[in-house]
Amino acid sequence: MKRSPLHISHTTIWVSAVTLGLLSSVPQLASHKFNVAEAAVNAGITAAFAVLMWYFNIYMLSRKKDSKRVQSISYTKLLSSLLFGLVIMFALAWVQQLILSHINFGPTMLMVEVRGILINLVFYMFLNLLQQNYENQHVSMELDKIKSDNLAAQYELLKQQINPHFLFNSLNTLKAMVETGDKEAVDFILKLSNFYRFTLESRKLDLIHVHEEMEIMNAYLFLQKARFEEGLKFTSALTERTLKTLIPPFTLQLLIENCIKHNVVSLSRPLHITIYEDGEYIIVENVLQVKKGDVSSTGVGLKNIGLRYSHLLDKNIEITNDDKIFKVKLPLIYEHHNN
């Protein structure tokens, strides 16, 4: 992973260095033998050291390290920084001795070196903490991006699953209608064409209005009734308020398809499917007349719908099965949820 660079403004570096220089002269201001020249040189030496150590530590911590990311302090770099700081402080102390030759070099050097170590430690720890924060933010952003990309990919797969699998049966039904000279064959072709047009137009959208979804479902029901005739009974009791709400495309069609797939549909045992509203839900229910030996259910259709509602609305659908009635409750989605 590419390391996040340190971002410290030059203004921050220079202002902090000058401030440290001034603070280093505070003890001299309180002294009875205050000397302006000594205070100025001391402040200048401290400020110069601070600037040099700022840039050295930034450079060192920004260097590329091993590909294995380590969440700890690099003691090698810390030792290098301290050694470099000692050398720089020794050189600056020597410069100070040249300017202020009346000062005893031994005690002055010791004081300056101790001050330099403390300043260097503060700078290094601050920059190391800042670098770790940059890297953690970078990792967090990468993880969020991966998560977002993964969710987007999953959602695209969900939308790809929407494409109906009944084309083969529809074509067989159409073949039988044409062979028997059924007058509704032309209407069947038109409805089949409209259904796939709806598929192409709506699958690119996350949400459509319920009244548009009903058009898709009615086209689907027409095709299925051509196959099952009076063996399929459907009732809708949705109000205008609900028809103006939103729904993921092909949700109702998938639920109807699910009902037909897992229940007996025949003239002797018609399958009754009802869609109505209850409070903040659209409800799709059917009387259970499960096919004997039906073990083919994988729950893909219901899982598809549940995941789409979770992805778009952060709400769950509710499924009820009391062995007599199978019911799916879909939360209403209002216009302001549409992004």
Side-chain angles (χ1 to χ4, degrees), residues 10-129:
H10 297 295
T11 302
T12 300
I13 292 173
W14 285 92
V15 169
S16 64
V18 171
T19 302
L20 283 172
L22 294 175
L23 289 175
S24 68
S25 300
V26 170
Q28 291 177 305
L29 290 173
S31 174
H32 294 291
K33 298 180 180 180
F34 175 71
N35 186 301
V36 176
E38 289 182 12
V41 171
N42 185 60
I45 293 295
T46 303
F49 176 78
V51 169
L52 289 171
M53 295 317 300
W54 264 122
Y55 285 111
F56 178 78
N57 284 319
I58 290 173
Y59 165 75
M60 187 171 56
L61 288 172
S62 298
R63 289 172 59 193
K64 184 178 180 181
K65 63 181 179 181
D66 296 337
S67 58
K68 185 177 180 181
R69 190 169 178 269
V70 181
Q71 286 283 359
S72 61
I73 296 175
S74 172
Y75 292 103
T76 301
K77 290 184 176 182
L78 175 58
L79 182 59
S80 299
S81 179
L82 291 176
L83 290 175
F84 180 79
L86 288 173
V87 173
I88 293 299
M89 233 348 161
F90 181 84
L92 292 175
W94 180 72
V95 171
Q96 183 180 25
Q97 179 65 23
L98 291 179
I99 299 174
L100 305 173
S101 57
H102 63 281
I103 297 178
N104 189 349
F105 185 70
T108 300
M109 184 186 71
L110 180 61
M111 179 187 69
V112 171
E113 291 288 8
V114 171
R115 183 193 306 161
I117 291 173
L118 293 176
I119 292 174
N120 200 11
L121 279 173
V122 171
F123 284 179
Y124 185 89
M125 297 304 294
F126 171 77
L127 290 171
N128 186 78
L129 181 63

Side-chain angles (χ1 to χ4, degrees), residues 7 44 57 68 77 79-80 84 108 113 118 155 157 161 197 203 238 254 261 268 286 306 322 327 334 338:
H7 296 285
N57 284 319
K68 185 177 180 181
K77 290 184 176 182
L79 182 59
S80 299
F84 180 79
T108 300
E113 291 288 8
L118 293 176
Y155 188 63
L157 286 176
Q161 292 174 3
R197 177 174 59 82
R203 69 186 305 167
L238 298 180
L254 276 173
K261 180 180 179 181
S268 59
N286 66 279
D322 61 3
K327 185 185 299 183
Y334 293 96
N338 190 12

Side-chain angles (χ1 to χ4, degrees), residues 143-284:
L143 290 176
D144 288 343
K145 184 177 184 301
I146 291 172
K147 183 178 179 181
S148 177
D149 291 345
N150 185 46
L151 287 174
Q154 289 182 7
Y155 188 63
E156 285 302 316
L157 286 176
L158 289 176
K159 292 200 290 186
Q160 291 298 324
Q161 292 174 3
I162 294 171
N163 190 34
H165 300 289
F166 70 99
L167 179 60
F168 180 75
N169 289 331
S170 296
L171 291 176
N172 280 337
T173 300
L174 178 60
K175 177 176 177 292
M177 293 174 71
V178 172
E179 288 177 346
T180 58
D182 194 321
K183 295 180 180 180
E184 292 189 350
V186 174
D187 287 338
F188 185 92
I189 294 172
L190 292 175
K191 290 292 184 181
L192 184 61
S193 174
N194 286 337
F195 182 81
Y196 277 95
R197 177 174 59 82
F198 291 144
T199 301
L200 294 173
E201 291 176 352
S202 300
R203 69 186 305 167
K204 299 176 183 178
L205 304 174
D206 291 333
L207 295 168
I208 61 174
H209 286 96
V210 173
H211 67 81
E212 295 175 298
E213 174 72 3
M214 291 296 291
E215 292 181 19
I216 297 174
M217 190 189 64
N218 287 332
Y220 175 79
L221 282 170
F222 179 89
L223 300 176
Q224 293 295 353
K225 286 183 178 181
R227 176 185 175 192
F228 296 107
E229 298 179 344
E230 294 302 313
L232 183 61
K233 304 290 186 180
F234 174 77
T235 304
S236 174
L238 298 180
T239 64
E240 284 297 320
R241 178 186 75 96
T242 301
L243 291 174
K244 292 178 181 178
T245 60
L246 303 169
I247 193 170
F250 295 93
T251 297
L252 298 180
Q253 182 268 322
L254 276 173
L255 290 176
I256 300 299
E257 182 179 356
N258 195 62
C259 293
I260 295 172
K261 180 180 179 181
H262 299 294
N263 290 276
V264 174
V265 185
S266 66
L267 293 176
S268 59
R269 296 185 63 187
L271 175 64
H272 293 268
I273 303 173
T274 306
I275 295 182
Y276 60 97
E277 59 193 70
D278 183 11
E280 294 298 302
Y281 291 90
I282 294 176
I283 300 176
V284 180

